Amino acid sequence: LRDNRIELVRASWHELSISVSDVTLSDEGQYTCSLFTMPVKTSKAFLTVLGVPEKPQITGFTSPVMEGERMQLTCKTSGSKPAADIRWFKNDKEVKDVKYVKEEDANRKTFTVSSTLDFLADRNDDGAVISCRVDHESLNSTPQIAMQVLEIHYTPLVKIISSNSWPEEGQSIILTCESKGKPVPEPVLWTKDGGELPDPERMVVNGRVLSISFLNKTDNGTYRCEAKNPIGRNSTEYVLIVHDVFNTLLSTTVIPSLTTATVTTTVALTTSTTTSATATSTRDPNALAGQNGPDHALIGGIVAVVVFVTLCSIILLGRYLARHKGTYLTNEAKGAEDAPDADTAIINAEGSQVNAEEKKEYFI
């Protein structure tokens, strides 16, 4: 071995050691150690030299990129032996759908590898970090990484936020137009029903905010917010309906369910002097528990009492008439025992009521 990079480290009858500095690919091969005895003794070893991949580079990126355009980013590294492995990441999340190409270098010993990432630019990718990582056994678990920050331009995204979900007459409302785009959108334009704002004194625009004070029915309509930037323009609408205060009270007041009372009266007339009268009050099952209605239960109770008293009066009157009619029939029967006709029977009955024993009948 005749090379200035090769140095004799140790030499004795038992050991011969050398060191090689600045190793190159040409140092790869079979090394032989010989002991000049009779016969000569030799020992051989094969040295493998790894090709360290160069730092990767990302190509194909032009800044800025318009939303919807197709992007093709290529990561390439040369000089690796064996061929290096390339992996893509977007914000630390690996991207699997890539194209990998391996080519042999001119020295027929090392390789050049490349990988292509193909995707459509999206506004959500604005500011994302695209990284290309090269893994190889010669890097001692410390991969080489190339990074590229994406810049995506897109049209504004517009949204209207209302400060009052149920505006009423006399109140105020604030409509905020949120617009997000790249480049940053210009000041927004507010319109109503396709024209300018009709009342600038009450409808004040401050930047992206529209304030309307002392609302009335004439403010009803469709309010449009439009934002634009060099890429394009976009708009959104908000329909304002001013509610009447009286209607609002009716819509927000809980009207209790009506409570009904059903009165059932049963009268039984028999030969007994006892009359049963039953009053049953039934409450509407649909009425909500705990609600204080407008005294419908009280009115139903009064009606039930009136009906009950009326029925009792009718029953007592019927009993009175029935009792006197029975007494008359009984007296007539008393005089009819010995009388030839009805008139004589009545006279006999009246004269005999004093001394005769009266027959009593009871109606139960």
Coordinates of all heavy atoms in Angstrom, one line a residue, residues 118-196:
D118 N -47.1 15.5 -5.5 CA -48.1 16.2 -6.4 C -49.4 16.4 -5.7 O -50.0 15.4 -5.2 CB -48.3 15.3 -7.7 CG -49.0 16.0 -8.8 OD1 -49.6 17.0 -8.5 OD2 -49.0 15.5 -9.9
F119 N -49.9 17.7 -5.7 CA -51.1 18.0 -5.0 C -51.7 19.3 -5.5 O -50.9 20.1 -6.1 CB -50.9 18.0 -3.5 CG -50.0 19.1 -3.0 CD1 -50.5 20.3 -2.5 CD2 -48.6 18.9 -3.0 CE1 -49.7 21.3 -2.1 CE2 -47.8 19.8 -2.5 CZ -48.3 21.0 -2.1
L120 N -52.9 19.5 -5.2 CA -53.6 20.8 -5.5 C -53.5 21.8 -4.4 O -53.7 21.4 -3.2 CB -55.1 20.6 -5.9 CG -55.4 19.8 -7.2 CD1 -56.9 19.6 -7.3 CD2 -54.8 20.5 -8.4
A121 N -53.1 23.0 -4.7 CA -53.0 24.0 -3.6 C -54.4 24.3 -3.0 O -55.3 24.6 -3.7 CB -52.4 25.3 -4.2
D122 N -54.4 24.4 -1.7 CA -55.6 24.7 -1.0 C -55.3 25.7 0.1 O -54.2 25.8 0.6 CB -56.2 23.4 -0.3 CG -57.5 23.6 0.3 OD1 -58.5 23.6 -0.4 OD2 -57.5 23.9 1.5
R123 N -56.4 26.6 0.4 CA -56.2 27.6 1.3 C -55.8 27.1 2.7 O -55.1 27.8 3.5 CB -57.4 28.5 1.4 CG -58.6 27.8 2.0 CD -59.8 28.8 2.0 NE -60.2 29.2 0.7 CZ -60.9 30.3 0.4 NH1 -61.4 31.0 1.5 NH2 -61.2 30.7 -0.8
N124 N -56.2 25.9 3.0 CA -55.8 25.3 4.3 C -54.4 24.9 4.4 O -53.8 24.7 5.5 CB -56.7 24.0 4.6 CG -58.1 24.3 4.7 OD1 -58.5 25.4 5.2 ND2 -59.0 23.5 4.2
D125 N -53.7 24.9 3.2 CA -52.2 24.6 3.2 C -51.4 25.8 3.3 O -50.2 25.7 3.4 CB -51.9 23.9 1.9 CG -52.5 22.5 1.8 OD1 -52.7 21.9 2.9 OD2 -52.8 22.0 0.7
D126 N -52.0 27.0 3.4 CA -51.2 28.2 3.5 C -50.5 28.2 4.9 O -51.1 28.1 5.9 CB -52.2 29.5 3.5 CG -51.4 30.8 3.5 OD1 -50.4 30.9 2.8 OD2 -51.8 31.6 4.4
G127 N -49.2 28.4 4.8 CA -48.3 28.4 6.0 C -47.9 27.0 6.4 O -47.1 26.9 7.4
A128 N -48.3 26.0 5.7 CA -47.9 24.6 6.0 C -46.4 24.4 5.7 O -45.9 25.0 4.8 CB -48.8 23.6 5.3
V129 N -45.8 23.6 6.5 CA -44.4 23.3 6.3 C -44.2 21.9 5.6 O -44.6 20.9 6.2 CB -43.6 23.3 7.7 CG1 -42.1 22.9 7.5 CG2 -43.7 24.6 8.4
I130 N -43.7 22.0 4.4 CA -43.4 20.7 3.7 C -41.9 20.4 3.9 O -41.0 21.2 3.6 CB -43.7 20.9 2.2 CG1 -45.1 21.3 2.0 CG2 -43.4 19.7 1.4 CD1 -46.1 20.3 2.4
S131 N -41.7 19.2 4.3 CA -40.3 18.7 4.6 C -40.0 17.4 3.8 O -40.9 16.6 3.7 CB -40.1 18.5 6.1 OG -41.0 17.6 6.6
C132 N -38.8 17.3 3.4 CA -38.3 16.2 2.7 C -37.1 15.6 3.5 O -36.2 16.3 3.8 CB -37.8 16.5 1.3 SG -36.7 15.3 0.5
R133 N -37.3 14.3 3.9 CA -36.3 13.7 4.8 C -35.6 12.6 4.2 O -36.2 11.7 3.6 CB -37.0 13.3 6.1 CG -36.0 12.9 7.2 CD -36.7 12.6 8.5 NE -37.2 11.2 8.6 CZ -37.8 10.7 9.6 NH1 -38.0 11.5 10.7 NH2 -38.2 9.5 9.7
V134 N -34.3 12.6 4.3 CA -33.4 11.5 3.7 C -32.9 10.7 4.8 O -32.2 11.1 5.7 CB -32.3 12.1 2.8 CG1 -31.4 11.0 2.3 CG2 -32.9 13.0 1.7
D135 N -33.2 9.4 4.7 CA -32.7 8.4 5.7 C -31.7 7.5 5.0 O -31.9 7.0 3.9 CB -33.8 7.5 6.2 CG -34.8 8.4 7.0 OD1 -34.4 9.1 7.9 OD2 -36.0 8.2 6.8
H136 N -30.5 7.3 5.7 CA -29.4 6.4 5.2 C -28.6 5.9 6.3 O -28.5 6.6 7.4 CB -28.5 7.2 4.2 CG -27.7 6.4 3.4 ND1 -26.4 6.1 3.7 CD2 -27.9 5.7 2.2 CE1 -25.8 5.3 2.8 NE2 -26.7 5.1 1.9
E137 N -28.1 4.7 6.2 CA -27.3 4.1 7.3 C -26.0 4.8 7.6 O -25.5 4.7 8.7 CB -27.0 2.6 6.9 CG -26.3 2.4 5.6 CD -26.2 1.0 5.2 OE1 -25.6 0.2 6.0 OE2 -26.7 0.6 4.1
S138 N -25.5 5.6 6.7 CA -24.3 6.3 6.9 C -24.5 7.6 7.8 O -23.6 8.2 8.2 CB -23.7 6.7 5.6 OG -24.5 7.7 4.9
L139 N -25.8 8.0 8.0 CA -26.1 9.2 8.7 C -26.2 9.0 10.2 O -26.5 10.0 10.9 CB -27.4 9.8 8.2 CG -27.4 10.2 6.7 CD1 -28.7 10.7 6.2 CD2 -26.3 11.2 6.4
N140 N -26.0 7.7 10.7 CA -26.0 7.5 12.1 C -27.3 8.0 12.8 O -27.3 8.7 13.8 CB -24.8 8.1 12.8 CG -23.5 7.5 12.3 OD1 -23.4 6.3 12.0 ND2 -22.5 8.4 12.2
S141 N -28.5 7.6 12.2 CA -29.8 7.9 12.8 C -30.1 9.4 12.8 O -31.0 9.8 13.6 CB -30.0 7.3 14.2 OG -29.8 5.9 14.1
T142 N -29.3 10.2 12.1 CA -29.6 11.6 12.0 C -29.9 12.0 10.6 O -29.0 12.3 9.8 CB -28.4 12.5 12.5 OG1 -28.1 12.0 13.9 CG2 -28.7 13.9 12.6
P143 N -31.2 12.0 10.2 CA -31.5 12.2 8.8 C -31.3 13.6 8.4 O -31.2 14.6 9.2 CB -33.0 11.9 8.8 CG -33.5 12.2 10.1 CD -32.4 11.8 11.0
Q144 N -31.1 13.8 7.0 CA -30.9 15.1 6.5 C -32.3 15.6 6.0 O -33.1 14.8 5.4 CB -30.0 15.0 5.3 CG -28.5 14.7 5.7 CD -27.6 14.7 4.5 OE1 -28.0 14.6 3.4 NE2 -26.3 14.8 4.8
I145 N -32.6 16.8 6.3 CA -34.0 17.4 6.0 C -33.9 18.7 5.2 O -33.1 19.5 5.5 CB -34.7 17.6 7.3 CG1 -34.9 16.3 8.1 CG2 -36.1 18.2 7.1 CD1 -35.5 16.4 9.5
A146 N -34.8 18.8 4.3 CA -35.0 20.0 3.5 C -36.4 20.5 3.7 O -37.3 19.6 3.7 CB -34.7 19.9 2.1
M147 N -36.7 21.8 4.0 CA -38.0 22.2 4.3 C -38.4 23.4 3.4 O -37.6 24.1 2.9 CB -38.1 22.7 5.8 CG -38.0 21.6 6.8 SD -38.2 22.1 8.5 CE -36.9 23.3 8.7
Q148 N -39.7 23.5 3.2 CA -40.3 24.6 2.4 C -41.6 25.0 3.0 O -42.5 24.1 3.2 CB -40.5 24.1 0.9 CG -41.1 25.2 0.0 CD -40.1 26.4 -0.2 OE1 -39.0 26.2 -0.7 NE2 -40.5 27.5 0.2
V149 N -41.8 26.3 3.2 CA -43.1 26.8 3.8 C -43.9 27.2 2.6 O -43.5 28.0 1.7 CB -42.8 28.0 4.7 CG1 -44.2 28.5 5.3 CG2 -41.9 27.5 5.9
L150 N -45.2 26.7 2.6 CA -46.1 27.1 1.5 C -46.8 28.4 1.7 O -47.1 28.8 2.8 CB -47.2 26.0 1.4 CG -46.7 24.6 1.1 CD1 -47.9 23.6 1.0 CD2 -45.9 24.5 -0.2
E151 N -46.9 29.1 0.6 CA -47.7 30.4 0.6 C -48.8 30.3 -0.5 O -48.5 30.3 -1.7 CB -46.7 31.6 0.3 CG -47.5 32.9 0.4 CD -46.5 34.1 0.1 OE1 -45.3 33.8 -0.1 OE2 -47.0 35.2 0.1
I152 N -50.0 30.2 0.0 CA -51.1 30.0 -0.9 C -52.0 31.3 -0.9 O -52.4 31.8 0.2 CB -52.0 28.8 -0.5 CG1 -51.1 27.6 -0.2 CG2 -53.1 28.5 -1.5 CD1 -50.4 27.1 -1.4
H153 N -52.2 31.9 -2.1 CA -53.1 33.0 -2.2 C -54.5 32.5 -2.5 O -54.7 31.7 -3.4 CB -52.6 34.0 -3.2 CG -51.4 34.8 -2.7 ND1 -50.9 35.9 -3.4 CD2 -50.7 34.7 -1.6 CE1 -49.9 36.4 -2.7 NE2 -49.7 35.7 -1.6
Y154 N -55.5 33.1 -1.9 CA -56.9 32.7 -2.2 C -57.9 33.9 -2.0 O -57.6 34.9 -1.3 CB -57.3 31.5 -1.2 CG -57.1 31.8 0.2 CD1 -58.1 32.3 1.0 CD2 -55.8 31.6 0.8 CE1 -57.9 32.6 2.4 CE2 -55.6 31.8 2.2 CZ -56.7 32.3 2.9 OH -56.5 32.6 4.3
T155 N -59.1 33.7 -2.6 CA -60.1 34.8 -2.5 C -60.6 34.8 -1.1 O -60.6 33.9 -0.3 CB -61.3 34.4 -3.5 OG1 -61.8 33.1 -3.2 CG2 -60.8 34.5 -4.9
P156 N -61.2 36.0 -0.7 CA -61.7 36.1 0.7 C -62.8 35.2 1.0 O -63.7 34.8 0.2 CB -62.2 37.6 0.7 CG -61.5 38.3 -0.4 CD -61.4 37.2 -1.5
L157 N -62.9 34.8 2.3 CA -64.0 34.0 2.8 C -64.7 34.9 3.8 O -64.2 35.5 4.7 CB -63.4 32.8 3.6 CG -64.5 31.9 4.3 CD1 -65.3 31.2 3.2 CD2 -63.8 30.8 5.2
V158 N -66.0 35.2 3.5 CA -66.8 36.2 4.2 C -67.9 35.5 5.0 O -68.5 34.6 4.7 CB -67.5 37.1 3.1 CG1 -68.2 38.3 3.9 CG2 -66.4 37.7 2.2
K159 N -68.1 36.1 6.2 CA -69.1 35.6 7.2 C -69.6 36.8 8.0 O -68.9 37.7 8.4 CB -68.5 34.6 8.1 CG -69.4 34.0 9.2 CD -68.6 33.1 10.1 CE -69.5 32.5 11.1 NZ -68.8 31.6 12.1
I160 N -71.0 36.9 8.2 CA -71.6 37.9 8.9 C -72.1 37.4 10.3 O -72.7 36.4 10.4 CB -72.8 38.5 8.2 CG1 -72.4 39.2 6.9 CG2 -73.6 39.5 9.1 CD1 -73.5 39.8 6.1
I161 N -71.7 38.1 11.4 CA -72.1 37.7 12.7 C -73.0 38.8 13.3 O -72.6 40.0 13.2 CB -70.9 37.5 13.6 CG1 -70.0 36.4 13.0 CG2 -71.3 37.2 15.0 CD1 -68.7 36.2 13.8
S162 N -74.2 38.4 13.8 CA -75.1 39.4 14.4 C -75.0 39.4 15.9 O -74.8 38.4 16.5 CB -76.6 39.0 13.9 OG -77.5 39.8 14.6
S163 N -75.2 40.6 16.4 CA -75.1 40.8 17.9 C -76.5 40.5 18.6 O -76.6 40.4 19.8 CB -74.7 42.2 18.3 OG -75.6 43.1 17.8
N164 N -77.6 40.4 17.8 CA -78.9 40.2 18.3 C -79.6 39.2 17.5 O -79.9 39.4 16.3 CB -79.7 41.6 18.3 CG -80.9 41.5 19.2 OD1 -81.4 40.4 19.5 ND2 -81.5 42.7 19.6
S165 N -80.0 38.1 18.1 CA -80.7 37.0 17.3 C -82.2 37.3 17.2 O -82.8 36.7 16.4 CB -80.4 35.7 18.0 OG -80.9 35.7 19.4
W166 N -82.7 38.2 18.0 CA -84.2 38.5 17.9 C -84.3 40.0 18.1 O -84.7 40.5 19.1 CB -84.9 37.8 19.0 CG -86.4 37.8 18.9 CD1 -87.3 38.8 19.4 CD2 -87.3 36.9 18.2 NE1 -88.6 38.5 19.1 CE2 -88.6 37.4 18.3 CE3 -87.0 35.8 17.4 CZ2 -89.7 36.7 17.8 CZ3 -88.1 35.2 16.8 CH2 -89.4 35.6 17.0
P167 N -84.0 40.8 17.0 CA -84.1 42.2 17.1 C -85.5 42.7 17.2 O -86.4 42.2 16.5 CB -83.4 42.7 15.8 CG -83.6 41.6 14.9 CD -83.6 40.3 15.7
E168 N -85.8 43.7 18.0 CA -87.1 44.3 18.2 C -87.1 45.8 17.8 O -86.0 46.4 17.8 CB -87.6 44.1 19.6 CG -87.6 42.7 20.1 CD -88.0 42.6 21.6 OE1 -88.2 43.6 22.2 OE2 -88.0 41.5 22.1
E169 N -88.3 46.3 17.6 CA -88.4 47.7 17.3 C -87.8 48.6 18.5 O -88.1 48.3 19.7 CB -89.8 48.1 17.1 CG -90.4 47.6 15.7 CD -91.8 48.1 15.5 OE1 -92.6 47.9 16.4 OE2 -92.0 48.7 14.4
G170 N -87.0 49.6 18.1 CA -86.4 50.4 19.1 C -85.1 50.0 19.6 O -84.4 50.8 20.3
Q171 N -84.7 48.7 19.4 CA -83.4 48.3 19.8 C -82.3 48.6 18.8 O -82.6 49.2 17.7 CB -83.5 46.7 20.0 CG -84.3 46.3 21.2 CD -84.3 44.8 21.4 OE1 -83.8 44.0 20.5 NE2 -84.8 44.4 22.5
S172 N -81.1 48.2 19.1 CA -80.0 48.3 18.2 C -79.4 47.0 17.8 O -79.6 46.0 18.5 CB -78.9 49.2 18.8 OG -79.3 50.5 19.2
I173 N -78.7 46.9 16.7 CA -78.1 45.7 16.2 C -76.7 46.0 15.6 O -76.5 47.1 15.0 CB -79.0 44.9 15.2 CG1 -78.4 43.5 14.9 CG2 -79.1 45.7 13.9 CD1 -79.3 42.7 14.1
I174 N -75.8 45.1 15.8 CA -74.4 45.3 15.2 C -74.1 44.0 14.3 O -74.2 42.9 14.8 CB -73.4 45.4 16.3 CG1 -73.6 46.6 17.2 CG2 -72.0 45.4 15.7 CD1 -72.7 46.8 18.3
L175 N -73.9 44.3 13.1 CA -73.5 43.2 12.1 C -72.0 43.3 11.8 O -71.5 44.4 11.3 CB -74.3 43.4 10.8 CG -75.8 43.3 11.0 CD1 -76.5 43.5 9.6 CD2 -76.3 42.0 11.6
T176 N -71.3 42.3 12.1 CA -69.8 42.2 11.9 C -69.5 41.3 10.7 O -69.9 40.2 10.7 CB -69.1 41.7 13.2 OG1 -69.4 42.5 14.3 CG2 -67.6 41.7 12.9
C177 N -68.8 41.9 9.8 CA -68.4 41.1 8.5 C -67.0 40.6 8.7 O -66.0 41.4 8.7 CB -68.5 42.0 7.3 SG -68.1 41.2 5.8
E178 N -66.9 39.3 8.9 CA -65.5 38.7 9.0 C -65.1 38.3 7.6 O -65.8 37.5 7.0 CB -65.5 37.5 10.0 CG -65.8 37.9 11.4 CD -65.6 36.7 12.3 OE1 -65.5 35.6 11.8 OE2 -65.6 36.9 13.6
S179 N -63.9 38.8 7.2 CA -63.4 38.4 5.9 C -61.9 38.0 6.1 O -61.1 38.6 6.7 CB -63.4 39.6 4.9 OG -62.7 40.7 5.4
K180 N -61.6 36.8 5.5 CA -60.3 36.2 5.6 C -59.8 35.8 4.2 O -60.5 35.1 3.5 CB -60.3 35.0 6.5 CG -58.9 34.4 6.7 CD -59.0 33.1 7.6 CE -57.7 32.5 7.7 NZ -57.7 31.2 8.6
G181 N -58.7 36.3 3.9 CA -58.1 36.0 2.5 C -56.7 36.3 2.5 O -56.1 36.9 3.4
K182 N -56.0 36.0 1.4 CA -54.6 36.3 1.2 C -54.4 36.6 -0.2 O -54.7 35.8 -1.1 CB -53.7 35.1 1.6 CG -52.3 35.4 1.8 CD -51.5 34.3 2.5 CE -50.1 34.8 2.8 NZ -49.3 33.8 3.5
P183 N -53.9 37.8 -0.5 CA -53.6 38.9 0.5 C -54.8 39.4 1.3 O -55.9 39.0 0.9 CB -53.1 40.1 -0.5 CG -52.7 39.4 -1.7 CD -53.6 38.2 -1.9
V184 N -54.6 40.1 2.3 CA -55.6 40.6 3.2 C -56.6 41.4 2.4 O -56.3 42.3 1.6 CB -55.0 41.4 4.4 CG1 -56.2 42.0 5.3 CG2 -54.1 40.6 5.2
P185 N -57.9 41.1 2.5 CA -59.0 41.8 1.8 C -59.0 43.3 2.1 O -58.6 43.8 3.2 CB -60.3 41.1 2.2 CG -59.8 39.8 2.7 CD -58.5 40.0 3.4
E186 N -59.5 44.1 1.1 CA -59.7 45.5 1.3 C -60.9 45.7 2.2 O -61.6 44.8 2.5 CB -59.9 46.2 -0.1 CG -58.7 46.0 -1.0 CD -59.0 46.5 -2.4 OE1 -60.1 47.1 -2.6 OE2 -58.1 46.3 -3.3
P187 N -61.1 47.0 2.6 CA -62.3 47.3 3.4 C -63.6 46.8 2.7 O -63.7 46.9 1.5 CB -62.3 48.8 3.6 CG -60.8 49.2 3.5 CD -60.2 48.2 2.5
V188 N -64.5 46.2 3.5 CA -65.7 45.6 3.0 C -66.7 46.7 2.5 O -66.6 47.8 2.9 CB -66.3 44.7 4.0 CG1 -65.3 43.6 4.4 CG2 -66.8 45.4 5.3
L189 N -67.6 46.2 1.7 CA -68.7 47.1 1.2 C -70.0 46.6 1.7 O -70.4 45.4 1.4 CB -68.6 47.2 -0.3 CG -69.7 48.0 -1.0 CD1 -69.7 49.4 -0.6 CD2 -69.7 47.8 -2.5
W190 N -70.8 47.5 2.4 CA -72.1 47.1 2.9 C -73.2 47.7 2.0 O -73.1 48.9 1.6 CB -72.3 47.6 4.3 CG -71.6 46.9 5.4 CD1 -70.4 47.2 6.0 CD2 -72.1 45.7 6.0 NE1 -70.1 46.2 6.9 CE2 -71.2 45.3 7.0 CE3 -73.2 44.9 5.8 CZ2 -71.3 44.2 7.7 CZ3 -73.4 43.8 6.6 CH2 -72.4 43.4 7.5
T191 N -74.2 46.9 1.6 CA -75.3 47.3 0.8 C -76.6 46.7 1.4 O -76.5 45.7 2.2 CB -75.2 46.9 -0.6 OG1 -75.1 45.5 -0.7 CG2 -74.0 47.6 -1.3
K192 N -77.7 47.3 1.1 CA -79.0 46.8 1.5 C -79.9 46.6 0.3 O -80.1 47.6 -0.5 CB -79.7 47.7 2.5 CG -81.1 47.2 3.0 CD -81.9 48.2 3.7 CE -83.2 47.7 4.1 NZ -84.1 48.7 4.7
D193 N -80.5 45.4 0.1 CA -81.4 45.1 -1.0 C -80.8 45.6 -2.4 O -81.5 46.1 -3.2 CB -82.7 45.8 -0.8 CG -83.4 45.2 0.4 OD1 -83.2 44.1 0.8 OD2 -84.2 46.0 1.1
G194 N -79.5 45.4 -2.5 CA -78.8 45.7 -3.8 C -78.5 47.2 -4.0 O -77.9 47.5 -5.0
G195 N -78.7 48.0 -3.0 CA -78.4 49.5 -3.1 C -77.7 50.0 -1.9 O -77.3 49.2 -1.0
E196 N -77.4 51.3 -1.8 CA -76.7 51.9 -0.7 C -77.6 51.8 0.5 O -78.8 51.6 0.5 CB -76.4 53.3 -1.1 CG -75.4 53.4 -2.2 CD -75.0 54.9 -2.5 OE1 -75.6 55.8 -1.8 OE2 -74.2 55.1 -3.4

